[in-house]
Amino acid sequence: MLCQPGASQPNDLIVVQLDEKSDHRESRMATGNMFGAGRGGFDPKRTVTVTIVKKDDGSWDVSPAQDLKPGEYLLTTGMSPQGFDFGVTK
């Protein structure tokens, strides 16, 4: 669903660590200041690249390139706030 033909490709996938709030999870996608300086996308300090392997049946195995700390995460493309959320426990 995240990687449809003509849109994102599986190599665009990333894992984003979410901030845990009392009743929801969130992540900032843009920063800026009053002088117009800013950037878009997820904070690189809060993202983990993934290793992607295409299987013979056409599906993909997606694994984080490093161990994830306990917390809440979002598997998404680098440009989309939509994806699949999951948690990691100790």
Side-chain angles (χ1 to χ4, degrees):
M1 283 177 37
L2 285 175
C3 302
Q4 298 176 12
S8 299
Q9 296 299 311
N11 60 347
D12 294 332
L13 292 173
I14 58 171
V15 172
V16 180
Q17 186 174 18
L18 301 173
D19 295 321
E20 296 182 48
K21 304 297 179 179
S22 62
D23 63 346
H24 67 281
R25 309 295 180 254
E26 65 183 40
S27 181
R28 292 183 185 216
M29 286 198 59
T31 60
N33 61 35
M34 64 185 205
F35 302 110
R39 64 169 181 78
F42 293 105
D43 180 352
K45 295 176 187 173
R46 310 277 295 168
T47 63
V48 176
T49 57
V50 295
T51 301
I52 302 162
V53 177
K54 187 173 184 178
K55 297 169 57 174
D56 292 336
D57 65 1
S59 64
W60 301 87
D61 280 337
V62 179
S63 305
Q66 63 194 53
D67 289 339
L68 300 177
K69 299 177 195 173
E72 299 290 323
Y73 293 88
L74 179 70
L75 175 65
T76 186
T77 65
M79 302 302 291
S80 174
Q82 298 177 344
F84 299 97
D85 62 327
F86 63 96
V88 174
T89 58
K90 291 181 183 181

